[in-house]
Amino acid sequence: NAGVTQTPKFRVLKTGQSMTLLCAQDMNHEYMYWYRQDPGMGLRLIHYSVGEGTTAKGEVPDGYNVSRLKKQNFLLGLESAAPSQTSVYFCASSYEGAAQETQYFGPGTRLLVL
Amino acid sequence: EDKVVQSPLSLVVHEGDTVTLNCSYEVTNFRSLLWYKQEKKAPTFLFMLTSSGIEKKSGRLSSILDKKELSSILNITATQTGDSAIYLCAVPPQGGSEKLVFGKGTKLTVNP
């Protein structure tokens, strides 16, 4: 049981480049989440999904897109990276909604946009 | 607007000390409050507090929910260097049981 995995672990992008972060979970969880964490800001929700084929906006969705084509995968896309998107990105999943039970977090992806 | 405020933002103690971390929230239709510990990488779950479970304990860590004061405390007794981490508090916002609003966290440093 790998839990929640994220790829890549670290990436450097130039402004304007695009990339996709992959999150995978093997716990058959319905709910998946993408957060970003910046110094002094805590964890902020970017987008989330309550099931395969569904996505919804979180607190800071601008500049990001997501897709949940398969239940076990949740992709986060940056179409045109900006230095403000330099951050650590965490994916999380849970079987029920966040109010009902804990979320399980991946190890994070550190992204640097130059 | 739903809000979670943690205090202090950072704390430095010596091994063996007892610490109390605070979390206050402003959210209507309270459902639950969660505490996470974040060391170098991913946050890991500590406790969930609800209206029917306002006190939780695990070893040297304990947490209490005060619904009247709209707050929670996380206590760590006999601290160890391994307790050094960021402690995060989170609540589901109004009308949204699927997601969480996190506080900015308290960074705890335990020195030997």
Side-chain angles (χ1 to χ4, degrees), chain B residues 21-93:
Chain B
L21 311 182
N22 299 285
C23 174
S24 64
Y25 58 90
E26 289 178 25
V27 59
T28 53
N29 195 20
F30 174 84
R31 294 180 181 83
S32 57
L33 183 146
L34 294 91
W35 283 98
Y36 285 83
K37 177 183 181 182
Q38 184 177 21
E39 295 176 83
K40 289 184 181 173
K41 288 192 174 178
T44 54
F45 173 75
L46 291 176
F47 300 118
M48 175 186 275
L49 302 165
T50 65
S51 298
S52 57
I54 62 171
E55 197 166 340
K56 294 283 174 75
K57 184 174 168 61
S58 176
R60 295 177 295 103
L61 276 68
S62 62
S63 184
I64 299 173
L65 177 71
D66 188 336
K67 283 196 70 180
K68 216 175 191 179
E69 296 295 324
L70 305 183
S71 66
S72 174
I73 60 170
L74 177 67
N75 273 326
I76 309 175
T77 59
T79 52
Q80 303 170 356
T81 54
D83 296 325
S84 295
I86 297 173
Y87 290 85
L88 298 165
C89 170
V91 296

Side-chain angles (χ1 to χ4, degrees), chain A residues 15-45:
Chain A
T15 297
Q17 286 185 316
S18 64
M19 80 163 293
T20 300
L21 282 67
L22 170 65
C23 175
Q25 51 93 7
D26 60 2
M27 296 175 281
N28 200 34
H29 284 170
E30 293 292 335
Y31 296 77
M32 296 187 76
Y33 311 82
W34 274 108
Y35 294 92
R36 60 177 289 174
Q37 187 173 39
D38 304 293
M41 297 297 291
L43 281 163
R44 292 183 293 170
L45 183 65

Side-chain angles (χ1 to χ4, degrees), chain B residues 89-109:
Chain B
C89 170
V91 296
Q94 177 187 9
S97 62
E98 308 90 2
K99 54 189 176 173
L100 294 173
V101 174
F102 280 84
K104 294 182 180 180
T106 293
K107 183 177 180 181
L108 174 65
T109 303

